[in-house]
């Protein structure tokens, strides 16, 4: 697709995911490919319960890339179901099955069915740090301010 970097990624469909589609992008410009639940029996996720849900695929990312497992906003907004470790990290050297750690933060039990789109996977480049230890860091306008130091009200001089 024009304007979007595309890379070929090797993927193996595991036996229990044979009939399921490979991760797919819902729209032409979607950043995340939807991951499907490769489960034989429905899973009922009670309030505050979490489970590693199998996706039926293993992937081999090129070195220098990672894949991020992110929640689907629809599941989060409607049911409180999200990814416990979001964004989960798939390393380039990982060859096991991609798993999604889903947690139900809602008040009602949530039923996961086979083939349900449970999360999305974003492929991204990453760097590796080479640490260069120094005695002190350069000065900036922010300095050590963080954790709400700039206040919460946008476009006003009010500071929290
Ligand atoms: O949501 C996730 C997170 C991780 N993984 C797989 C791929 C990743 O490459 C591997 C290790 O993940 P991570 O580094 O987050 O796990 P860890 O808790 O640090 O364990 P490890 O000691 O295995 O690295 O587990 C998943 O399938 N789903």
């Amino acid at each position: 697709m024009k304007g979007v970097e595309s890379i070929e990624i090797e993927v193996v469909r595991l036996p229990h995911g044979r009939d399921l589609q490979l991760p797919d992008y819902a729209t032409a410009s979607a950043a995340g490919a939807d991951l499907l639940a490769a489960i034989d029996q429905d899973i009922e996720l009670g309030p505050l319960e979490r489970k590693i849900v199998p996706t039926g695929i293993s992937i081999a990312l090129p070195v220098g890339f990672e894949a991020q497992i992110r929640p689907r906003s629809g599941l989060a907004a409607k049911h409180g179901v999200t990814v416990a470790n979001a964004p989960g990290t798939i390393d380039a050297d990982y060859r096991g099955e991609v798993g999604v750690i889903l947690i139900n933060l809602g008040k009602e039990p949530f039923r996961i069915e086979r083939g349900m789109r449970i999360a999305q996977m974003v492929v991204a480049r990453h760097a590796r740090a080479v640490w260069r230890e120094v005695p002190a860091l350069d000065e900036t306008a922010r300095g050590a301010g963080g954790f709400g130091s700039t206040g919460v009200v946008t476009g006003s001089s009010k500071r929290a």
Side-chain angles (χ1 to χ4, degrees):
M1 191 197 183
K2 205 176 162 214
V4 179
E5 181 186 12
S6 43
I7 51 157
E8 205 173 81
I9 296 175
E10 291 185 354
V11 56
V12 168
R13 227 185 298 212
L14 301 168
H16 56 282
R18 280 272 148 76
D19 58 316
L20 296 177
Q21 255 184 266
L22 292 177
D24 200 11
Y25 296 91
T27 64
S29 301
D34 288 327
L35 292 171
L36 310 183
I39 47 178
D40 292 329
Q41 288 176 341
D42 291 1
I43 294 176
E44 178 139 308
L45 213 53
L48 292 184
E49 204 181 346
R50 64 175 183 275
K51 286 230 161 76
I52 302 177
V53 183
T55 61
I57 57 162
S58 299
I59 62 175
L61 291 157
V63 171
F65 286 83
E66 56 145 348
Q68 300 172 3
I69 310 295
R70 302 191 192 171
R72 293 191 65 214
S73 62
L75 288 182
K78 289 184 200 143
H79 305 284
V81 171
T82 187
V83 175
N85 59 330
T89 304
I90 308 298
D91 300 289
D93 55 359
Y94 180 67
R95 296 292 177 269
E97 180 171 10
V98 173
V100 176
I101 310 173
L102 279 187
I103 185 164
N104 180 2
L105 300 179
K107 289 183 179 156
E108 306 295 332
F110 181 75
R111 182 168 288 276
I112 306 165
E113 294 166 11
R114 182 175 181 81
M116 188 180 260
R117 294 184 294 151
I118 49 172
Q120 56 185 316
M121 183 163 69
V122 175
V123 174
R125 284 183 188 276
H126 73 87
R128 265 174 83 96
V130 178
W131 304 113
R132 178 167 54 86
E133 194 172 358
V134 292
L137 302 175
D138 65 333
E139 283 181 21
T140 66
R142 173 179 286 276
F147 312 101
S149 65
T150 62
V152 289
V153 181
T154 308
S156 127
S157 57
K158 283 187 190 161
R159 293 279 145 120

